[in-house]
Structures are given as C-alpha cells and as structure tokens.
Amino acid sequence: MQTRRTTFPELLAPAGGQAQLEAAIRFGADAVYLAADRFGLRQRAANFALDDVPAATAHAHAADARVYVTLNALMDADDLAALPPYLEALAAAGVDAFIVSDLGALRLAQRHAPEVELHVSTQASVCNAEAARVWHELGASRVVCAREMSVEDIARLRADAPRELELEAFVHGAMCMAVSGRCLISSALTGRSGNKGHCTQPCRWSYALVEEQRPGEFFPVEEDVRGSYVMNAQDLNMLAHLDDLAAAGVDSFKIEGRNKKAFYVASVVRAYRQVLDGAPAADVADELLAVSHRPYGTGFYYGAAQQSPAVDGYTTACLHAATVEACEPSASGDGAFRVTARCYNRFCEGDELEALSPCPRIARVRVRNLAWLPAPDDGDPLPERVPVAVANRSAERYAFETGEELAPGDFLRVRVNVER
C-alpha cells in the first residue's frame, strides 16, 4: 500500500484495463480506480483478472500512484458469501482502498482486509453531513459526493462533516439521468441490471409515443422522425471550475470512464493535469473536444443538470490514429526518426498527425516513408516491411519517418475534418 496522501487535490482516473491504467499514470493521474472481474459497476470494461491486480498495483505504486478497487455493485447474499476471499486477495495485492456502497460489504472488508481504506461510492448518495458522519463512524475514510450536489451543497457538507473525512467528486465524464446512477430502466427493459454492473444505457435510446387506440402508429415525442433522446444527459466538464470545487473542500477530482479506451483516458487526464499544475483552463479546453463526447455541461454543480434531447451519440474533433511503440534515429542520418506504431484508425503517407505526450506541447508529426510491418506468418512468408500509401489495418504495426522524436506510449491523433 502507498503512504496516505498528505497533499490535495488528487487527480483520480479510470482504469478499465491495463492499457488505461498505464496511460492514466503516464499522463499525470495521482490515483486510479479499477475493478477485478466481479462486484464492479462496469462489467463491460476489460477490467482485471484477480490474479493480475498485484502487477497492476505494483506498476501504479512504482509511479507513486494509488489504486482503489470498486466493489460497489448491489450485493445480495451470494455476493457477500463470495466476497471474503476476494477481499483478502485484493489486500494481499496491496491495493489502497475499496470503493463500497453496501454496508455488508463494508463490514466484511473491515473483517477480512482491515488495512485497506474504505471509500463510500456515489451509489450510496451521500449528500449531507449527517450521512457522511455515519459512514465515517463506521470506518470510511472518504465519501464520494452524490452527483446531485451543487458546489454550495459540497461546501456545506465539508463545513459540517469530520475534518479528517476526505471528499471526492466527479469532474468529468458521462452523467446518469438516475439518482447517483441507481437506475432500474436497463433491468426493466433488458433484464440487465445497471446496479449489478450491466447497464445497457437505455437512457441514450431514441423514444417515441404509442397511442393506445392506434397500435403500430408511432408519434415522436418531438417533431423529429427519429424520436427524442429525452433522457440523454450531457457529459460533465468541470475543467474551468476546479478552483470552485477545491474551495468547497473537495480532496479528490474524479474522472468517469472505465468503459473508455486508453486514448480517451490519456487525453482527459492530461488536460486536467495541466490545469491542476497551473495552466489556464481556456488554454486547455479544446483538448477535451478532441475526444469522443456528448455536449458538455456542469452537471448539478450550478443548478439543474441539462439533457441533450436532440443529440444522438457522440462528437469528436480527433481520432486515435496510432500508439507509438518505439522511436529511434533514422538510418538516413538526416536527423529524422523512425517510428514504429500500432494503428487504430486510418492515416496516410504525408499526413500531419498530432502527438499526445505528457508534456504540454502537442507535436506535429509529418508521416514519411510509411510501411506496413506484417506479423510473422506460419504459412507463406511475408516481407518484414511493405511500403504503403495508407495505414488502414487496425491493431497492426506500421513504421514511418518523421522529424519529431517521440516516446513509447505517445498517442498519435488525426483531425476528423482532414480531407483525404
């Protein structure tokens, strides 16, 4: 376990898998939250096998980052019966905290992993100091503020709650239209419970009315042939308001997104890290447009949260083109570098890509001498390097030359409005 933090605010990032964990830490997260293969609320994420948690935790601790494990799904008797050996294994892995919402899970954690801190999930809907005090008296060291709280509500809670109790609040990511995420719609419509980690996001679907006397005839909720996305919440974006949350007493700024890919995690963590380190939010704001998102808002922090009833899906300014795996001086001897990267979206010879690294500067990378690097084949032998005009084989490796020195783990992105 890591030594308990003494400086705040903490930047807490989602780690839906190993690649996301590595990206979060490399791009500036102070802590990550993740799940193993049970008891978390994001079962569609890659997550971690229980046996892989020790290595993931060691990787984080080596970078002086902490690891919190989500155990916040709705717990029934069978879940609680299976929980003790799970808790013991996670404690042996050295994780720093459990995120819980069930009182039974909290009590078992105290019995079977007493050295691990306990954080109370937003699923518990802690929105007043009395509730926070009760959780603290039961052994919690931190509560995650209910998402329905305003900045003023959090300040009032902070003033009245025990001083040593830490407060965590979401600052970025998808919002749920239900109270602190405790939604029954997915379970009712699909049989897959969001409270068990299997949400199908029916709040994002298009809905229309059916008139009882005219079966088969559909009537849009609004004048739109596609219907209306009446429960489609805006994504949260508090990049420009971190000072308000810090002044209200928030100790940990939490980014949502355990279903997101590493490129998303790196991009968002990088933006928030820069602002926390002193960069003006206005200088960084466009970076959050580069990743896939719904229209942004400030949630409940300054009033009622807003919906996006006319919007279907996501928008983005950039696509993740490739991830750098290696970079070395080119054999040409002209000061260029030879980059090896794994492709995720199409890019071409001559394209200018943008290189995302932990440093503030976004490097411009011109692709030259693009080549496909085929994987070894047990059948017909393939050449080691095939010159191509376009990189379009997803998850396969390509090489090219450029004038910028890059580093393994850098992300290359391409603007979506670039003409081909």
Side-chain angles (χ1 to χ4, degrees):
M1 293 176 61
Q2 289 292 88
T3 302
R4 190 175 179 84
R5 284 180 58 83
T6 57
T7 58
F8 292 103
E10 168 189 84
L11 182 57
L12 175 57
Q18 183 65 29
Q20 292 91 324
L21 180 142
E22 293 175 3
I25 293 170
R26 182 168 185 261
F27 281 78
D30 299 306
V32 296
Y33 64 104
L34 55 85
D37 50 8
R38 295 189 66 181
F39 307 120
L41 282 180
R42 294 292 183 271
Q43 292 299 306
R44 289 191 296 166
N47 292 320
F48 291 80
L50 191 58
D51 290 343
D52 292 336
V53 175
T57 303
H59 179 91
H61 286 177
D64 200 29
R66 287 161 59 84
V67 175
Y68 310 146
V69 177
T70 60
L71 300 170
N72 56 345
L74 184 68
M75 298 276 183
D76 57 30
D78 289 338
D79 292 325
L80 290 181
L83 194 56
Y86 215 79
L87 294 166
E88 292 167 3
L90 291 170
V95 305
D96 299 286
F98 299 139
I99 303 173
V100 301
S101 62
D102 182 88
L103 286 170
L106 179 141
R107 183 62 74 215
L108 288 177
Q110 290 173 320
R111 291 176 188 164
H112 295 274
E115 70 275 29
V116 180
E117 293 177 23
L118 294 169
H119 297 177
V120 179
S121 170
T122 189
Q123 294 291 112
S125 294
V126 176
C127 56
N128 62 75
E130 287 301 322
R133 185 174 293 109
V134 170
W135 281 106
H136 182 250
E137 291 170 354
L138 290 171
S141 62
R142 177 184 294 189
V143 295
V144 185
C145 296
R147 295 203 188 195
E148 296 73 34
M149 297 183 73
S150 68
V151 172
E152 290 183 0
D153 293 334
I154 293 174
R156 183 175 179 182
L157 189 158
R158 174 72 283 166
D160 296 337
R163 183 61 255 177
E164 62 272 23
L165 179 65
E166 297 171 5
L167 300 185
E168 177 180 306
F170 282 93
V171 295
H172 196 89
M175 294 283 285
C176 182
M177 49 73 63
V179 175
S180 287
R182 294 183 296 174
C183 181
L184 302 177
I185 301 176
S186 181
S187 179
L189 295 183
T190 71
R192 298 176 60 187
S193 172
N195 298 303
K196 285 286 193 177
H198 301 287
C199 182
T200 56
Q201 293 195 311
C203 57
R204 310 297 185 183
W205 299 350
S206 173
Y207 289 91
L209 298 175
V210 179
E211 210 286 314
E212 219 173 53
Q213 302 302 316
R214 287 175 282 183
E217 293 188 40
F218 294 86
F219 303 91
V221 175
E222 292 182 337
E223 291 184 7
D224 182 335
V225 295
R226 298 178 303 161
S228 176
Y229 306 89
V230 292
M231 295 179 285
N232 191 32
Q234 291 183 347
D235 280 1
L236 180 64
N237 180 349
M238 287 291 285
L239 187 73
H241 307 285
L242 297 183
D243 286 347
D244 287 354
L245 290 174
V250 175
D251 300 296
S252 179
F253 296 150
K254 186 173 193 172
I255 297 168
E256 184 275 339
R258 280 193 295 119
N259 281 333
K260 300 293 189 180
K261 302 297 185 183
F263 171 68
Y264 176 95
V265 173
S267 301
V268 177
V269 168
R270 180 179 178 276
Y272 279 85
R273 180 78 274 157
Q274 288 192 46
V275 173
L276 287 174
D277 288 347
D283 293 353
V284 185
D286 284 352
E287 287 299 297
L288 296 178
L289 302 178
V291 294
S292 179
H293 65 281
R294 296 183 179 90
Y296 283 131
T298 55
F300 291 89
Y301 286 124
Y302 301 104
Q306 301 300 307
Q307 308 294 96
S308 297
V311 176
D312 175 18
Y314 297 85
T315 60
T316 183
C318 295
L319 292 176
H320 175 203
T323 300
V324 175
E325 295 187 344
C327 181
E328 57 188 11
S330 171
S332 63
D334 59 357
F337 295 89
R338 184 179 186 271
V339 175
T340 302
R342 194 167 298 274
C343 174
Y344 289 93
N345 278 288
R346 180 176 178 266
F347 63 97
C348 303
E349 174 75 20
D351 275 356
E352 184 180 76
L353 306 180
E354 298 175 359
L356 201 68
S357 70
C359 71
R361 175 174 172 263
I362 301 288
R364 300 295 194 267
V365 176
R366 183 70 65 182
V367 176
R368 303 196 306 265
N369 300 323
L370 181 62
W372 170 46
L373 306 178
D377 195 322
D378 293 334
D380 295 332
L382 293 171
E384 293 184 359
R385 186 177 187 278
V386 180
V388 293
V390 181
N392 56 6
R393 299 172 185 265
S394 181
E396 296 206 17
R397 296 166 68 243
Y398 288 82
F400 60 87
E401 292 184 352
T402 189
E404 287 282 345
E405 184 175 10
L406 305 177
D410 287 353
F411 292 90
L412 300 175
R413 67 190 189 192
V414 59
R415 293 278 160 181
V416 296
N417 59 351
V418 173
E419 294 184 4
R420 300 285 176 201

